[in-house]
Amino acid sequence: WLDKNLNATAADLRIAIVTSQDAPPYQEIITGAQRYLESRGVKVLWTTHPLHGDAANATAVLDVLKKTETTLLLTLGSLATRAIVRERLALPLIASLVLNTEELAEATDATAVVLEFPLETQLQWLQQLLPRQQRVGVLFNPHENQRVIETAIRVAPVLGLTLFPYEVNTPQD
């Protein structure tokens, strides 16, 4: 998509950015995307729509997006991505900072940079950061992470770790 639109004029290329949070990594990605396209001579009209960490803000953002002529959507974070995908807007979507590929399960014209690392890699990094620790406690929601925990229970002993999974169903738990 990007390759065939790199020669678009400012009037043709309108990118709407929907952010989940107001945090430095989100701004760094926005700045990086803007610099990248600018360095290639692409003129873009950018609009940014922050959700401020609250899914309730998505309704107002979606109302604005439906009324504007947008060429491409860029979502940053799982909250923003879920809100856009659920709405099924007929626009290409690039998602970043999403936790797993399930965020895009219903999307038909989307791609993503996912923050999902193999469990073995996560546990190996944990060992590097805390080399003398062999006992690992994990809080998990079985509705969202049961398969991950089952894999971790199998992988941890191979790495010399003992896993103590604790089921939680709500943030209050």
Side-chain angles (χ1 to χ4, degrees), residues 1-2 5 12-20 29-30 33 37 44-51 58 60-77 79-98 104 106-113:
W1 182 92
L2 189 59
N5 285 286
D12 294 332
L13 194 53
R14 298 170 184 263
I15 299 177
I17 304 168
V18 182
T19 62
S20 296
I29 290 173
I30 293 169
L37 292 177
V44 177
L45 176 61
W46 298 91
T47 57
T48 304
H49 308 276
L51 298 182
V61 168
L62 289 164
D63 287 344
V64 170
L65 290 175
K66 289 175 187 175
K67 295 174 186 171
T68 60
E69 293 184 28
T70 300
T71 311
L72 173 72
L73 290 168
L74 171 61
T75 58
L76 304 178
L79 179 70
T81 301
R82 275 192 302 271
I84 294 299
V85 169
R86 276 191 207 129
E87 193 63 26
R88 299 178 193 252
L89 298 173
L91 293 167
L93 168 65
I94 298 174
S96 184
L97 297 176
V98 292
L104 297 172
E106 299 174 29
T108 57
D109 194 7
T111 190
V113 177

Side-chain angles (χ1 to χ4, degrees), residues 108-129:
T108 57
D109 194 7
T111 190
V113 177
V114 181
L115 299 173
E116 187 172 46
F117 298 95
L119 191 59
E120 294 83 357
T121 302
Q122 293 178 47
L123 292 174
Q124 288 167 348
W125 272 102
L126 186 61
Q127 283 183 309
Q128 287 183 5
L129 294 171

